[in-house]
Amino acid sequence: MKHELRVRVGSVGFRIGSDWKQPIDQLAALYKDYPTPDIPDFTVRLFAQRPWRRFIRPSVMIGGDYMLPDAAPLSLAHGLLAAEMGMNLQMALGQRRYLLLHASAVERDGKALLMTGDSGAGKSTLSALLGERGWRFMGDEFALIDLETGALHAFPRPVSLKNEAIALFEGAVEADRLGPIMRDTPKGDIRHLRPPKDAIARMGEPAKPALLLFPRFGYDPDVREVGEAEIFVRLTQASTNYVALGEAGFGALSDLVQNIPTRAIDYPDTESAVASVERLWAELAE
Amino acid sequence: MTDARILTRALVDPATTVAFGAEDWTSLMAMARAEQLMGSLAHRLDGLDHLPEKVAQLCADARQSADHARRQALWEAEMARRVLAPLGEPVALLKGTAYVAAGLSAGVGRSIGDLDILVRRDALDAVEQVLIEQGGWEWVKDDAYDQAYYRDYMHELPPLIHKERDRMIDVHHTVLPLTARPTPDAEAMLADSVELENGLRILSPADMICHSAAHLFADGDLAGGLRNLWDIDRLLRDFGPRDGFWQALRARADRHQLAKTVARALRLAETLYETPLSGDVADRRRVGDALYVRRLLSRDGWGRETRKILRLAFYIRSHWLRMPPVMLAKHLWTKWRKGAG
């Protein structure tokens, strides 16, 4: 394709091709500390639906090795988001080496904290915040569980900060770690944050899952135990490839659920959340 | 201009990849995925020691994924068998599910989507009723025009999907749309079909080739053509050495009014996959063959469709073959108005 970028996140290589220069330039800036894969795992294509739509009211279609049949195009101003969505799509539909959980993850002392919940629960923001406060950021979107060892593999792509979360980081981190602000996307305002250098340098190091939290933002502080059956079902819903992996997926998920301490936590603001996380980590992380 | 020739060559002779660089591998895998041939390719490359680590890894993933597809397809066939058994009607598996159920080479690494079965046309109402009332399948779209269109003109029921397992079943009562010009003899296919251990049936070797060939040219604009042709290549390599196969193929192709269709499929398979042929079924080369080859290979190293005008020509042709002109106009008009509304 006319413009191209290759980038590796964790162990997964991507080749992103585009009819336009702009999204590729933005990606290159955002991913500047990441390595380049030799042979990529997945191909993503950003293309114009009709040749003239490259110039007139340009709209970006998302394609690649794996595609959704009727995905809506995005405006060129949201081209960076389109690229990220294309990469996520390849992972969600095509990844078979790991059990994929829609979860964020951070690490300390070789042990990993996983956070999963509905969109808006704050898992992404929390992982980014902890990543600035002594934890190693392992990913805000997908947690990759090894089907054989049960270890968690990092997938630390840039964090998509949404709406109110953007202000938490503006001014608090080096300006060049933040991508362009994209307003009025289908998910509201979005701005990407490149993880700390150390998180990228160490992205090849797996960690042992040691604590699982289901955070929920906007409630009075609370901590609840969750039964194994409920954890299992919630994680099947949070997984994009549980069904496609068949027995291997069931095995990996059962092992995880039986071995990891788990709590649901409610929090009214991020400071209270960080405090709860630290307390639970000290009490429960194995 | 790059095209999918590197893919067909790698499938025929995996050793052609020995001098591949990173760029070639990247293109090869994008093409194989786009053509639904990644699982088949992964099996062909299995065990070669010149594969880069990443390629070996992606191939292992693809093989595992195909294993799972196979298991799911066989389970879906079993679910249908249990529901349909009390009717006492012959039920023949078609396409991918048939290949894996019969342990044929065409099933190795194959991706399998829907369950396709063939039943007698007279049994269609009973089959439909049992699937819906007892089996848990339901219509994908309950649209009056589509329902009537399928029932009046097509070779299959409108697609049904299972409420819980989310898998589709296509119930065929013949091979080609009723409006298409050749009229294959579906009753004869069922009569000649072979029973498997579990009571389900598969088509006879000659009929399996006839069905695959009809399917290759009749469906859409040759979409998925390289995969469908790969099926034919693998089937012919399995059946070719059997006594009387080529004579039977000739006779069945004539009987189903598919002589030209089968002949062209064989010639294309020979050109693209070096399929060993025997006898005179393939007939002599025709000028049009080269266009088919160009169309089938129209894929670039990004996995994109290329040769748009040629593709469009094949698309129009496929509809032309499928229905008479006045009917085609009416059909497209109705579809367009529904789309606009």
Side-chain angles (χ1 to χ4, degrees):
Chain A
M1 295 187 79
K2 214 162 172 214
H3 307 278
E4 173 181 347
L5 180 81
R6 293 182 189 213
V7 67
R8 183 159 64 77
V9 182
S11 67
V12 187
F14 295 92
R15 166 175 71 154
I16 302 119
S18 167
D19 280 346
W20 304 270
K21 189 163 182 293
Q22 180 192 317
I24 295 295
D25 285 348
Q26 289 176 341
L27 272 178
L30 196 58
Y31 281 89
K32 80 177 171 71
D33 296 332
Y34 291 74
T36 306
D38 181 21
I39 297 171
D41 293 66
F42 299 114
T43 291
V44 174
R45 303 189 302 262
L46 305 179
F47 60 99
Q49 193 166 15
R50 299 268 177 270
W52 58 88
R53 293 299 289 270
R54 200 173 287 191
F55 311 102
I56 304 165
R57 287 187 297 123
S59 69
V60 184
M61 299 288 292
I62 304 168
D65 290 332
Y66 299 90
M67 292 190 265
L68 289 178
D70 32 38
L74 288 139
S75 82
L76 184 55
H78 300 152
L80 182 59
L81 178 64
E84 290 277 316
M85 287 168 70
M87 290 159 79
N88 284 346
L89 201 59
Q90 304 314 307
M91 290 295 282
L93 301 179
Q95 182 57 258
R96 293 286 183 278
R97 205 169 318 136
Y98 310 102
L99 174 70
L100 237 72
L101 298 176
H102 196 66
S104 67
V106 290
E107 177 258 7
R108 191 189 265 171
D109 306 325
K111 295 184 290 189
L113 161 67
L114 280 99
M115 291 175 282
T116 184
D118 300 333
S119 120
K123 64 182 166 31
S124 185
T125 312
L126 272 176
S127 65
L129 213 56
L130 293 168
E132 303 300 318
R133 300 187 183 187
W135 296 71
R136 169 167 67 109
F137 174 79
M138 291 185 79
D140 81 318
E141 180 80 21
F142 292 124
L144 280 45
I145 305 293
D146 195 298
L147 292 172
E148 274 157 31
T149 65
L152 173 80
H153 293 265
F155 188 68
R157 36 152 252 173
V159 185
S160 343
L161 300 170
K162 294 183 195 88
N163 305 314
E164 302 84 44
I166 298 172
L168 286 175
F169 294 86
E170 286 172 334
V173 301
E174 306 90 302
D176 90 310
R177 286 178 55 202
L178 291 166
I181 184 146
M182 291 177 280
R183 301 216 181 267
D184 306 319
T185 76
K187 296 170 180 171
D189 294 349
I190 289 185
R191 191 161 192 188
H192 289 99
L193 167 70
R194 186 169 59 245
K197 271 206 165 98
D198 176 58
I200 299 170
R202 293 175 57 202
M203 69 188 182
E205 291 174 29
K208 177 180 176 286
L211 178 63
L212 171 65
L213 296 177
F214 294 105
R216 203 162 63 144
F217 169 69
Y219 294 84
D220 288 337
D222 191 20
V223 175
R224 291 179 304 278
E225 297 202 6
V226 191
E228 265 186 23
E230 188 182 342
I231 303 170
F232 189 90
V233 171
R234 285 174 80 162
L235 290 183
T236 60
Q237 288 164 350
S239 174
T240 58
N241 65 356
Y242 170 73
V243 173
L245 288 170
E247 194 178 350
F250 177 78
L253 193 59
S254 310
D255 280 352
L256 178 69
V257 170
Q258 282 161 8
N259 292 311
I260 194 168
T262 304
R263 293 290 184 275
I265 62 167
D266 291 353
Y267 64 96
D269 56 67
T270 45
E271 286 312 319
S272 134
V274 171
S276 300
V277 166
E278 293 285 0
R279 187 167 45 77
L280 289 169
W281 181 260
E283 278 172 27
L284 298 170
E286 290 171 343
Chain B
M1 188 177 178
T2 55
D3 66 14
R5 182 68 77 165
I6 58 164
L7 172 60
T8 58
R9 269 204 296 254
L11 284 164
V12 175
D13 179 9
T16 56
T17 60
V18 82
F20 268 25
E23 217 40 46
D24 304 310
W25 286 115
T26 304
S27 299
L28 179 67
M29 284 186 300
M31 284 178 192
R33 282 173 173 159
E35 295 288 349
Q36 302 281 315
L37 276 164
M38 188 61 196
S40 312
L41 179 68
H43 275 278
R44 296 289 291 159
L45 296 175
D46 194 12
L48 294 180
D49 51 19
H50 69 270
L51 304 184
E53 193 189 333
K54 179 58 82 177
V55 174
Q57 224 175 45
L58 292 173
C59 283
D61 294 347
R63 284 191 295 271
Q64 209 216 337
S65 190
D67 276 355
H68 184 61
R70 175 179 171 280
R71 201 172 307 129
Q72 269 191 318
L74 293 176
W75 178 246
E76 206 54 30
E78 171 61 17
M79 292 292 94
R81 188 198 65 77
R82 289 183 194 176
V83 174
L84 296 174
L87 294 178
E89 282 290 333
V91 176
L93 300 171
L94 300 174
K95 306 183 200 172
T97 311
Y99 307 151
V100 295
L104 294 165
S105 317
V108 176
R110 196 182 189 278
S111 60
I112 304 170
D114 308 343
L115 171 63
D116 294 277
I117 59 171
L118 175 68
V119 299
R120 291 190 314 117
R121 196 172 184 193
D122 289 343
L124 210 51
D125 290 343
V127 166
E128 174 184 343
Q129 195 184 2
V130 169
L131 287 176
I132 293 174
E133 288 175 10
Q134 289 162 42
W137 278 272
E138 60 189 9
W139 300 116
V140 173
K141 39 182 180 177
D142 217 345
D143 170 297
Y145 176 77
D146 283 334
Q147 286 277 344
Y149 177 83
Y150 267 92
R151 280 159 208 282
D152 293 345
Y153 303 122
M154 289 298 280
H155 53 301
E156 60 192 17
L157 288 176
L160 288 156
I161 192 160
H162 196 271
K163 285 177 203 165
E164 283 151 25
R165 295 191 305 276
D166 215 23
R167 301 273 296 189
M168 304 242 274
I169 184 168
D170 280 336
V171 182
H172 302 241
H173 57 83
T174 184
V175 176
L176 288 172
L178 302 175
T179 51
R181 275 151 227 174
T183 312
D185 187 346
E187 302 278 323
M189 285 193 175
L190 273 177
D192 246 31
S193 62
V194 184
E195 189 168 345
L196 300 169
E197 266 176 34
N198 64 2
L200 289 170
R201 312 181 75 85
I202 55 168
L203 301 184
S204 73
D207 282 346
M208 215 182 260
I209 300 291
C210 290
H211 184 267
S212 296
H215 174 58
L216 167 67
F217 296 113
D219 270 12
D221 62 341
L222 280 184
L226 280 186
R227 203 276 309 271
N228 294 332
L229 197 62
W230 178 249
D231 286 345
I232 292 173
D233 167 79
R234 294 291 109 178
L235 293 174
L236 288 170
R237 286 171 193 263
D238 282 353
F239 300 147
R242 295 191 190 176
D243 275 349
F245 167 73
W246 296 97
Q247 292 86 330
L249 179 57
R250 161 116 246 174
R252 295 305 272 190
D254 284 339
R255 164 140 199 191
H256 297 309
Q257 301 176 14
L258 291 169
K260 281 185 185 166
T261 306
V262 169
R264 178 156 268 155
L266 263 53
R267 294 196 302 274
L268 293 174
E270 187 186 30
T271 306
L272 288 169
Y273 294 126
E274 299 174 19
T275 315
L277 301 180
S278 170
D280 58 355
V281 194
D283 209 348
R284 58 179 197 289
R285 286 192 180 281
R286 285 174 199 271
V287 183
D289 290 357
L291 280 177
Y292 281 86
V293 169
R294 272 181 63 74
R295 162 63 191 86
L296 286 167
L297 293 176
S298 58
R299 183 75 66 180
D300 72 7
W302 282 89
R304 285 182 301 183
E305 299 178 346
T306 55
R307 299 171 187 160
K308 296 274 187 209
I309 291 169
L310 187 61
R311 279 175 178 267
L312 180 67
F314 272 95
Y315 178 77
I316 293 169
R317 181 180 172 281
S318 77
H319 271 72
W320 185 257
L321 294 182
R322 191 180 280 212
M323 46 179 98
V326 174
M327 188 185 153
L328 174 59
K330 251 178 76 181
H331 173 66
L332 293 177
W333 170 247
T334 310
K335 280 286 186 186
W336 178 78
R337 278 195 8 199
K338 281 185 351 154

